Amino acid sequence: MAEKNTISGMQMGLLLFPVIVATADLIVPTITTKYAGRDMWLSPVCASIVGFLTVYLIFKLHELYPRQTIIQYSTQIVGAIPGKIVAFIILYNILYTNGNILRLYGEFIVGSFLHETPLVVVMASILLLCAFTIRAGLEVLARAAQILVPLLFLFYMGVVLLMIPFMKTENFFPVLEHGIIPVLRGALTPQGWFSEVILFSFLAPFLPGQGKGMKAGFITVIFAAMALFSLNLSALLILGGEVGAMTYPFYTAIQMISYADFFENFDAVVIAIWVAGAFVKMSMFYYSLSLGTAHLMGIDDYRSLVFPLGLLLILFSFWTAPDMSTLSSNIAKTAGFQTSVIFSFLPLLLYIVAQLRMKHRSKTGNTYGADLKK
């Protein structure tokens, strides 16, 4: 493995926080409202259960294979050919998901701010910045996240506080009018964002020691759930039933902030901060795709794959959907099922097989731990 840098548990958490929150804050309120109605603020909390489960599985597998990513130890758990198939499915979904993220970023920036700028220019510019960053190494990306993500979190919480005078409590009631089932249906899509914590697998081998990773992962999921909970709730309290009819409800709610006709037009600042979070998210997916592809192909240095994969990401961003409406529909249909199955169910399957192999080897007298370290 050419990557020799190490990161702390805190840096790992900061890298994954925007992976869950960024882009989810744009369209998740709309999607969850269609199923859960005014109880959509509860859906991210229910969806976070998938995040906790995935974190647990990833770090339990990391305990068995401490120096490897999920792409590498898949072949050791289920065999060479099945393992490569599992690895390819994971990498393909990372590529597909990052293509959606890149397209969503471009559509939001062009539709809300840079109206006359070609979509491909907007996407290529942020992707080029991501490429230079991950080519510099994981440590550089981690330090960037260490600066940007706390500012992102504090800024969003500050925006929510500024929105309080414009919130209407009548939009909150009645709570659970139709029971818990609509809330659970609304959680199906955001659970896809929480399952993206599978990317911890590409960071865990670079932690200086074992034991702290799972705790950092759980804390990341908790903060992400709190962030999506507060964003959904604030959009609901301001916009009410109109949330489900809007493309970017939280962004629309921010535009209503106005104090004495002076402190307003806050949306430009919001876009700048949001871009920072989207940059970290796309970089994390891009890095995982590059590193994982290098492992799958037996290439020592992932950096040689960064630019070719960047071109592939541009193609995928246009291939996934012809327009924003289709993109939102595809995400609503696939994020909750396809992403969750691949990013959460496959680690569960690998963990079960690894445990069965461990029990079998203990019965036959082989030392499983010694085999894993070879």
Side-chain angles (χ1 to χ4, degrees), residues 179-232:
I180 193 66
I181 299 301
V183 175
L184 296 178
R185 290 183 63 194
L188 291 177
T189 296
Q191 76 179 15
W193 270 270
F194 282 99
S195 68
E196 290 172 357
V197 295
I198 190 178
L199 299 188
F200 274 124
S201 169
F202 297 90
L203 300 178
F206 305 110
L207 291 173
Q210 294 192 47
K212 299 180 181 179
M214 187 179 295
K215 179 180 178 181
F218 285 153
I219 293 175
T220 302
V221 174
I222 291 172
F223 273 93
M226 289 172 51
L228 292 182
F229 165 83
S230 61
L231 299 183
N232 276 23

Side-chain angles (χ1 to χ4, degrees), residues 53-353:
L53 174 62
T54 308
V55 167
Y56 176 82
L57 293 171
I58 289 299
F59 284 99
K60 281 298 182 179
L61 287 167
H62 173 61
E63 291 178 3
L64 297 176
Y65 302 88
R67 294 184 295 274
Q68 300 180 40
T69 67
I70 192 170
I71 304 301
Q72 294 172 300
Y73 58 66
S74 294
T75 57
Q76 297 188 37
I77 293 177
V78 296
I81 295 178
K84 287 185 180 297
I85 293 174
V86 169
F88 176 80
I89 292 173
I90 292 173
L91 289 174
Y92 177 82
N93 207 61
I94 290 175
L95 174 65
Y96 178 83
T97 303
N98 206 11
N100 281 337
I101 296 167
L102 182 61
R103 181 63 179 273
L104 184 60
Y105 165 85
E107 293 284 355
F108 176 64
I109 295 299
V110 171
S112 303
F113 198 60
L114 303 177
H115 305 289
E116 302 298 326
T117 306
L119 181 62
V120 66
V121 173
V122 173
M123 295 192 300
S125 60
I126 188 68
L127 197 63
L128 186 62
L129 178 61
C130 294
F132 284 128
T133 303
I134 65 175
R135 277 181 61 87
L138 177 60
E139 194 172 279
V140 172
L141 178 58
R143 289 179 179 178
Q146 198 169 358
I147 296 172
L148 296 174
V149 175
L151 293 176
L152 174 70
F153 182 81
L154 292 175
F155 179 80
Y156 269 125
M157 295 302 101
V159 167
V160 171
L161 292 177
L162 290 174
M163 296 165 71
I164 290 177
F166 306 95
M167 296 179 181
K168 301 175 182 178
T169 55
E170 58 266 25
N171 293 331
F172 184 74
F173 299 102
V175 178
L176 295 178
E177 180 181 11
H178 302 290
I180 193 66
I181 299 301
V183 175
L184 296 178
R185 290 183 63 194
L188 291 177
T189 296
Q191 76 179 15
W193 270 270
F194 282 99
S195 68
E196 290 172 357
V197 295
I198 190 178
L199 299 188
F200 274 124
S201 169
F202 297 90
L203 300 178
F206 305 110
L207 291 173
Q210 294 192 47
K212 299 180 181 179
M214 187 179 295
K215 179 180 178 181
F218 285 153
I219 293 175
T220 302
V221 174
I222 291 172
F223 273 93
M226 289 172 51
L228 292 182
F229 165 83
S230 61
L231 299 183
N232 276 23
L233 183 59
S234 59
L236 171 69
L237 292 177
I238 290 180
L239 302 175
E242 298 179 3
V243 172
M246 296 182 175
T247 305
Y248 311 119
F250 183 70
Y251 175 68
T252 303
I254 289 174
Q255 292 176 313
M256 301 183 67
I257 297 176
S258 178
Y259 289 90
D261 295 326
F262 173 73
F263 193 75
E264 55 186 10
N265 297 324
F266 211 52
D267 47 315
V269 181
V270 170
I271 290 177
I273 299 298
W274 181 84
V275 166
F279 158 73
V280 176
K281 177 169 185 170
M282 283 186 282
S283 296
M284 191 60 240
F285 269 92
Y286 198 176
Y287 171 79
S288 301
L289 176 63
S290 301
L291 183 65
T293 303
H295 289 163
L296 182 63
M297 299 176 64
I299 299 174
D300 292 333
D301 193 350
Y302 73 91
R303 292 170 178 83
S304 61
L305 299 173
V306 171
F307 288 118
L309 288 174
L311 293 175
L312 191 59
L313 279 170
I314 292 289
L315 294 176
F316 260 73
S317 67
F318 285 100
W319 173 75
T320 53
D323 51 48
M324 183 60 200
S325 176
T326 307
L327 177 63
S328 298
S329 178
N330 290 345
I331 292 175
K333 293 176 182 177
T334 62
F337 179 75
Q338 175 184 323
T339 307
S340 299
V341 167
I342 294 174
F343 287 168
S344 296
F345 178 75
L346 284 183
L348 174 61
L349 181 63
L350 290 174
Y351 180 67
I352 292 173
V353 174

